[in-house]
Amino acid sequence: MPTLAVHGGAGRLDRRARRAEIDAALERALGAGFDAAGGGALDAAVAAVRVLEDDPLFNAGTGAVLTATGGVELDAAVMVAAGLRTGAVAGVIDFANPVELARAVMEDGRHVLLSGAGASRFGIDCGLAPIDPARLAGAARRQDGSLGGTVGAVCRDDRGALAVAVSTGGTAGKLPGRVGDSALCGAGFYADLAGAACATGHGEDFVRLVGCRRAVELLAGGMDAQTAADRLIEELEARVNGLGGIIVVDSAGRPGVAHNAPYMSWAWRTAGGSARWSD
Ligand code: ASP
């Protein structure tokens, strides 16, 4: 049985009032991920993230927050441990599922990160369907402001393959053009043979620390996923006074979750059981 962990963002907003809805969405994401896991860890992680991108509860895809000028600019990425293959997009304004665009960048293989108009052009050339940017920004304006968590997933499949997928609208009110950790390999996501990690929170902090690369390095040094997640968040606080959270899976299929932000929603399922933030 695979191990799949998902998160719905970390931050200062008290999201406990929406706990039942958030838990139900994370469960749906785990379910979609498990259904897709026969295809491998990447399929599982992407399927889980897609469900959350389509849910306006979360700051990704359809539910993304607005920039300082009232637009929507989405970042997303995927990575697999085998061959350190990765793909990412930044500043996407016209795709509701940028994680699919990121996957297409990885599969194409020429580049690891495409931004803005070039990412859109690439997506269209790959046969992915763009949407009117006004529809994404309109959906964002309808949010009540109390929600909005980045989404991510890490998976180790039955064959031992490891993958991560992440998607976000970035930080609310960000300057147009800002690119966060979720599009930057090693910062907001990373996968290598020792495990996979996905971050959420104040992206600039994870960029400075190259946080997810660091978490996987801790796994490679012999830590299990929970110990590495705890240590990474300690370092985030100690080194850059950072705020956020991280989900990790190690090569043995053990999950780990840690955060120093007041709130983080997450859930995981393994052969040995399951757990979620509200238990
Ligand atoms: N890390 C994301 C970013 O800074 C935001 C988040 O996780 O809520 O773009």
Side-chain angles (χ1 to χ4, degrees), residues 13 17-18 37 50 66 77 83 135 165 167 192:
L13 291 174
R18 308 294 288 267
R50 268 198 70 126
L66 294 172
R135 273 182 60 199
S167 185
D192 198 350

Side-chain angles (χ1 to χ4, degrees), residues 63-166:
V65 297
L66 294 172
T67 67
T69 52
V72 166
E73 296 184 6
L74 308 174
D75 297 343
V78 299
M79 185 166 188
V80 297
L84 301 177
R85 296 172 69 220
T86 185
V89 290
V92 171
I93 62 168
D94 53 0
F95 283 83
N97 293 109
V99 73
E100 294 287 6
L101 204 47
R103 183 179 186 155
V105 172
M106 185 191 88
E107 277 163 2
D108 176 77
R110 279 175 291 176
H111 305 299
V112 298
L113 172 59
L114 293 179
S115 68
S120 295
R121 163 61 52 193
F122 173 79
I124 292 163
D125 289 348
C126 289
L128 299 173
I131 67 166
D132 181 349
R135 273 182 60 199
L136 278 181
R141 267 181 216 107
R142 287 193 295 277
Q143 301 304 307
D144 65 9
S146 66
L147 298 170
T150 287
V151 305
V154 292
C155 183
R156 177 197 178 274
D157 69 23
D158 286 336
R159 295 185 290 276
L162 290 146
V164 53
V166 59

Side-chain angles (χ1 to χ4, degrees), residues 7 9-10 59 75 148-150 168-171 178 180-182 199-204 206:
H7 76 75
N59 173 20
D75 297 343
T150 287
T168 185
T171 48
R178 179 257 191 192
D181 61 320
S182 303
T200 172
H202 189 234
E204 282 72 5
F206 284 96

